[in-house]
Amino acid sequence: MPDDGTRLPDVVFVCVSNRGKSVMAEGLARLDAADSLHATSAGTSAKLGASPNELSTQVLDEVGVDISAHRPRQLTDDLMRAADRVVVVGTAEVTPPDGVTVEVWDVDEPSARGIDGIDRMRLIRDELRSRIADLAVRLH
């Protein structure tokens, strides 16, 4: 909570499976913007009971974020209504209920340039960190 006692904005990061980009964004927001926003994540087609993507987990471990215990959850209208901002990270298709603010981040896809594996995930992680820093400033 901010020093002035006001409530932090609630942000839901969304991707398709809630095993990669959205959970990475959630973890990075908790690391870099915990004093500016409250982060959670969900998927439009969540892989319930699954674990986070191995490479996502590895690149977040490199910066001190542990997402290994995360379990995907399905995006719902109620979850979106409870959020101050819904941020779509990547290609997920989201139809928000009336009154819900959705922001779409067209995250670079390094694999389109032949960059795969851990190098791909590091580039995505670094882009997400930059976008989260900007979001925290805009919402604060």
Side-chain angles (χ1 to χ4, degrees), residues 3-122:
D3 291 339
D4 65 3
T6 59
R7 183 183 71 80
L8 294 176
D10 285 311
V11 176
V12 177
F13 293 101
V14 179
C15 70
V16 175
S17 69
N18 193 217
R19 294 182 60 235
K21 293 175 184 169
S22 63
V23 73
M24 287 175 66
E26 176 186 356
L28 291 167
R30 289 180 179 186
L31 174 70
D32 294 336
D35 60 343
S36 301
L37 57 91
H38 175 261
T40 191
S41 65
T44 57
S45 294
K47 307 294 184 196
L48 302 179
S51 297
N53 173 288
E54 272 186 51
L55 292 176
S56 297
T57 301
Q58 185 177 340
V59 298
L60 289 190
D61 280 344
E62 292 174 354
V63 296
V65 177
D66 181 5
I67 61 168
S68 63
H70 175 80
R71 293 299 171 258
R73 80 172 158 170
Q74 183 64 37
L75 182 67
T76 64
D77 285 355
D78 287 342
L79 188 58
M80 287 190 279
R81 281 189 201 99
D84 297 298
R85 182 74 45 99
V86 175
V87 177
V88 177
V89 184
T91 61
E93 298 281 330
V94 173
T95 303
D98 289 342
V100 173
T101 302
V102 175
E103 185 171 320
V104 178
W105 291 355
D106 184 20
V107 176
D108 178 47
E109 184 44 67
S111 62
R113 299 187 315 277
I115 302 170
D116 290 308
I118 196 72
D119 292 331
R120 170 184 175 260
M121 296 311 289
R122 286 180 179 132

